[in-house]
Amino acid sequence: MSRVLPPDRSTPDELGARHPSGPIDTAATGGSTTDVDEAAQRPTSTAGRARRRRRVRTALVVTALSLLAVVFAYPFVWLVSASFKPRSEVFDNKLIPETFTLDNYVQVWETAPLALWLWNTLLVTVLAATTVTLSSAMVAWGFSYFRFRGRGALFGVVLATMMLPGAVTMIPTFLIWNALGFVGTLVPLWAGNMFGSAFYIFLLRQFMLGLPREFFEAARVDGASNWQLFWRIALPLSKPALAVTFVFEVQAVWTDLMRALIYLRDSSDFTVPRGLKSLVDAFGFGGEWHWELIVTASVIATVPMIIVFFLAQRQIIHGISAGGVKG
């Protein structure tokens, strides 16, 4: 006869100790589920800590950027505020004028030919930015598309010209324009850009190196000339880099005072920076101390640049980032 064994009333730990494969899972044997719940909650708590760390980092970055924005924007805000103050309150360092007036804007237009200076500056800026963009693009496309012996050395020579200080070439350049009879005119302020700029050539070349060469080869098979390759393919594909070059040169020419001081003689040919210098000489350190007129003219001269950068900020960011990646 078979013998019936009594049921085993050992605890789960005792069973696990006698079991050859090790301890028995308490969850499978009806034990406590506390350990299982803690293990399930551990990844969730880790993800929560990671989210909190990201929020803290984001808050720190936003705070730092906000502080920097205040630091950079404060001088212009002060300038705009001072332009609406009377002469006695210009330097009271209050952003909200106690006495608000528009007389400064009326008086500055009556005192100086500001409209003529703005027109001269606009003319010089458009001519200089257009010529340097096209000429630099042609040279950059030549360095990026054509393969010839000594290309790297020649490009190095072009880049080496950036190491020459402006004071070194200032006198020779003046002698050239004086011999040509252009001193006292607006021509020297923009005509030199017809020969390109080493910095813009480097910027555009780095972008054009990333253009698909297959486009040019396909157009070459269809009978396109070198000029057609440049004008119909290279330029349209390089619009972001061209926009960056154009805006950078607009800012450089609009604020250029040195060349205006060297070449301009008549007040009717003054650009805005040269005109502001004459106002400082007459109403600032000249003895009359009409600083309200100077800050008002400075606001009028600064607003166009703010508008240009506001309208072109997307093209600037896209052009710089694309050029950095493709270069």
Side-chain angles (χ1 to χ4, degrees):
M1 295 181 65
S2 61
R3 182 181 178 184
V4 179
L5 296 177
D8 194 349
R9 301 185 182 276
S10 302
T11 63
D13 293 338
E14 293 174 350
L15 290 174
R18 294 199 304 266
H19 200 276
S21 60
I24 297 176
D25 189 359
T26 57
T29 59
S32 175
T33 60
T34 303
D35 295 338
V36 178
D37 294 340
E38 291 180 354
Q41 293 175 0
R42 193 174 298 117
T44 304
S45 60
T46 303
R49 287 195 298 269
R51 284 195 297 268
R52 286 194 293 271
R53 285 196 295 267
R54 285 196 297 269
R55 293 195 191 100
V56 171
R57 285 197 297 265
T58 303
L60 292 176
V61 171
V62 171
T63 303
L65 292 178
S66 301
L67 292 175
L68 290 175
V70 171
V71 171
F72 282 101
Y74 178 80
F76 180 72
V77 174
W78 180 92
L79 190 72
V80 174
S81 175
S83 67
F84 294 106
K85 298 177 182 179
R87 178 180 179 183
S88 59
E89 300 178 6
V90 171
F91 295 104
D92 61 3
N93 203 27
K94 296 180 180 179
L95 297 182
I96 300 177
E98 292 184 1
T99 305
F100 187 87
T101 179
L102 295 175
D103 294 340
N104 297 335
Y105 287 90
V106 176
Q107 189 175 355
V108 75
W109 285 99
E110 295 176 350
T111 304
L114 201 57
L116 181 60
W117 294 348
L118 288 171
W119 167 252
N120 292 336
T121 308
L122 179 63
L123 179 63
V124 171
T125 299
V126 172
L127 291 175
T130 303
T131 53
V132 79
T133 302
L134 291 177
S135 58
S136 300
M138 286 190 287
V139 179
W141 183 72
F143 278 119
S144 63
Y145 177 74
F146 295 104
R147 304 289 189 265
F148 55 90
R149 182 175 299 178
R151 185 184 65 162
L154 184 59
F155 184 67
V157 173
V158 173
L159 295 183
T161 60
M162 291 193 299
M163 302 179 186
L164 292 175
V168 174
T169 59
M170 188 180 298
I171 295 178
T173 304
F174 175 82
L175 295 176
I176 294 173
W177 290 120
N178 187 47
L180 295 175
F182 288 120
V183 173
T185 66
L186 296 174
V187 174
L189 275 63
W190 65 269
N193 286 355
M194 291 189 296
F195 303 99
S197 168
F199 173 73
Y200 297 141
I201 290 172
F202 170 76
L203 177 67
L204 293 170
R205 174 185 175 270
Q206 295 303 106
F207 186 89
M208 291 180 178
L209 284 174
L211 298 180
R213 196 172 182 86
E214 293 79 8
F215 292 168
F216 300 102
E217 299 301 332
R220 177 74 71 183
V221 172
D222 293 337
S225 62
N226 290 332
W227 174 255
Q228 290 174 332
L229 293 178
F230 168 73
W231 189 258
R232 296 185 178 181
I233 300 178
L235 280 187
L237 294 177
S238 303
K239 284 182 180 179
L242 295 175
V244 172
T245 302
F246 189 87
V247 174
F248 279 7
E249 187 63 16
V250 165
Q251 187 273 335
V253 177
W254 189 272
T255 59
D256 183 20
L257 175 62
M258 182 61 67
R259 285 187 294 182
L261 284 172
I262 295 174
Y263 296 106
L264 300 183
R265 302 288 183 267
D266 192 355
S267 61
S268 61
D269 295 327
F270 282 178
T271 58
V272 169
R274 182 66 181 89
L276 291 178
K277 178 64 169 59
S278 66
L279 289 180
V280 172
D281 295 338
F283 301 117
F285 300 104
E288 298 187 17
W289 306 102
H290 287 286
W291 290 104
E292 74 279 6
L293 300 181
I294 297 174
V295 297
T296 303
S298 300
V299 171
I300 297 174
T302 306
V303 167
M305 282 295 93
I306 296 178
I307 296 175
V308 169
F309 274 90
F310 178 77
L311 296 177
Q313 58 180 335
R314 182 174 300 177
Q315 288 78 7
I316 294 174
I317 296 174
H318 177 62
I320 294 177
S321 59
V325 173
K326 294 181 179 181

